[in-house]
Amino acid sequence: MAAPYRLVEEKSWAVDLSELHRALTTSRGHCTLRAIYISNPGNPTGHLQDRKSIEEVIEFAAAERLLLLVDELFFSSLQGYQDSVYAPNREFISYKKVLFEMDNHLRETVEMVSFNSLSCACVAECGLRAGYMEVINMDSGVMHFVDTMLCTDINAPVTGQLTLDLMLSPPKPGDPSYNTFAEETLLTRATLAQNAQQTLKLLNDLPGMSCWPAMGGIYLYPRLNLPAEIREQANMLGLEADVLYCQMLLQEEGLILGAGQHGGTTGSHHLRLCVLVPPDTLEEVLSRISSFHLRLTDREHNGSYRKTKSRRNILSSAEEIGQSYN
């Protein structure tokens, strides 16, 4: 059983210690929590934890005897920072580094598992489904079962294993392919940063949409303030409003975006938008999102939403979607 905790959107999706305590307290009587999961940079919020925040989480895990599961892409061989961190004057700090610089009683007792995979920004090979984990301070009895499971039940495809080996041992200065590797890696980082900045500006210029700047990662996570009619229709269909928004966007513009509620966000509506794409592709995507969103708000503003042919088609499709969900 999971006990969700919320990031603080008003503080650029910060990890809040009091919220961790709230999630732990409310879970008591229903389940016994064994671990805490952290994504850094946040997926899909793009937040990046500073050292103080990381120390607080580690101390929380130690005090509550929780296994610390950390999903973080490790440092780039070129820059010494995480590949997908692009916020100005922000440095990626790994949980392992912070833990090993804390007091001995924490450094030697906190159980932590750090994950890395081919999904990182500069490799971006999510489909190959390969990664690795580093286990720290795990009880030897538990490690026996972990090793057994990894040796018998999990086999990454050969292409994934080869690519993972290349990610961990990239070309070095002096190697024939180093210059090409360096150019492509830096181009990917620059494209990611530029795309994030361009997308952020457009999203914040749209009425009824707002987005915090991402510090890292490959997503932006804008908040939607949808017209009342959309929210009412979604409620009638048994859907979250951002899910209905995404279905309407797919039908009208042929774009597939992730709905925020699929990422665990409840009580508010968001979109999950990947910005690690070629600039010309992003330009087309943003144009379609803008066109759709402005039509949506114009219909509500002009009071003609119910009269449009497109609206009737959308509601018909939405009813089918609602039936499939139910």
Side-chain angles (χ1 to χ4, degrees):
M1 179 178 177
Y5 63 89
R6 294 174 181 267
L7 304 177
V8 184
E9 183 173 2
E10 295 75 16
K11 296 181 179 180
S12 192
W13 300 108
V15 178
D16 184 68
L17 187 60
S18 63
E19 174 63 11
L20 298 183
H21 283 289
R22 182 207 61 79
L24 180 68
T25 300
T26 55
S27 70
R28 288 174 177 151
H30 305 284
C31 66
T32 301
L33 294 185
R34 301 297 188 188
I36 177 173
Y37 172 81
I38 293 285
S39 178
N40 186 46
N43 179 3
T45 60
H47 72 277
L48 184 66
Q49 287 184 263
D50 58 22
R51 179 178 293 272
K52 181 176 183 297
S53 176
I54 293 174
E55 289 176 347
E56 289 178 345
V57 173
I58 291 174
E59 291 169 351
F60 173 79
E64 302 298 338
R65 299 178 61 83
L66 298 174
L67 171 63
L68 186 54
L69 304 174
V70 187
D71 190 356
E72 53 184 0
L73 311 180
F74 284 74
F75 59 85
S76 162
S77 60
L78 289 175
Q79 299 291 339
Y81 304 126
Q82 191 174 14
D83 283 341
S84 59
V85 172
Y86 43 80
N89 303 317
R90 290 302 301 264
E91 175 184 358
F92 169 72
I93 307 173
S94 75
Y95 265 75
K96 178 183 177 181
K97 175 180 175 61
V98 174
L99 175 62
F100 277 35
E101 292 175 351
M102 297 180 75
D103 294 340
N104 285 342
H105 77 281
L106 295 172
R107 184 167 63 240
E108 297 174 358
T109 60
V110 172
E111 295 181 321
M112 183 172 71
V113 182
S114 295
F115 300 95
N116 195 8
S117 77
L118 295 177
S119 300
C120 70
C122 288
V123 178
E125 290 289 354
C126 305
L128 292 181
R129 315 309 299 168
Y132 67 90
M133 65 182 187
E134 180 178 11
V135 182
I136 300 169
N137 293 330
M138 186 71 71
D139 182 271
S140 58
V142 177
M143 278 303 304
H144 169 73
F145 291 98
V146 173
D147 290 337
T148 301
M149 179 188 69
L150 293 177
C151 291
T152 59
D153 294 340
I154 298 179
N155 293 288
V158 174
T159 50
Q161 295 182 47
L162 291 173
T163 308
L164 189 64
D165 183 67
L166 290 172
M167 184 184 80
L168 296 175
S169 301
K172 300 176 177 59
D175 291 346
S177 60
Y178 176 77
N179 288 340
T180 300
F181 165 75
E183 290 173 4
E184 291 183 354
T185 300
L186 293 176
L187 177 61
T188 299
R189 288 173 58 95
T191 299
L192 179 59
Q194 292 168 6
N195 284 356
Q197 184 177 13
Q198 178 185 357
T199 305
L200 178 71
K201 183 179 185 307
L202 180 134
L203 295 177
N204 281 326
D205 284 344
L206 290 175
M209 192 177 292
S210 61
C211 186
W212 285 94
M215 303 176 194
I218 63 174
Y219 296 99
L220 289 184
Y221 199 57
R223 185 185 184 106
L224 293 172
N225 183 16
L226 294 171
E229 189 170 275
I230 295 295
R231 288 182 274 118
E232 292 169 3
Q233 185 64 33
N235 185 58
M236 290 172 55
L237 296 171
L239 301 175
E240 289 290 338
D242 47 10
V243 174
L244 180 58
Y245 181 98
C246 290
Q247 294 290 350
M248 296 166 66
L249 178 63
L250 174 61
Q251 181 174 350
E252 292 197 19
E253 295 291 346
L255 292 180
I256 299 178
L257 264 63
Q261 66 107 27
H262 290 156
T265 304
T266 58
S268 58
H269 304 117
H270 296 80
L271 297 177
R272 175 173 171 153
L273 176 60
C274 177
V275 294
L276 186 57
V277 295
D280 55 343
T281 300
L282 180 68
E283 184 176 349
E284 176 67 18
V285 168
L286 296 181
S287 175
R288 295 190 185 192
I289 292 175
S290 179
S291 176
F292 167 78
H293 192 82
L294 290 175
R295 288 198 309 270
L296 191 71
T297 54
D298 283 346
R299 291 169 191 164
E300 175 75 5
H301 177 73
N302 296 329
S304 59
Y305 198 81
R306 294 181 181 275
K307 300 177 183 179
T308 62
K309 179 180 178 181
S310 176
R311 167 65 173 168
R312 291 194 297 271
N313 292 339
I314 290 168
L315 292 186
S316 175
S317 175
E319 289 171 356
E320 295 176 1
I321 296 166
Q323 291 171 1
S324 66
Y325 270 70
N326 295 328

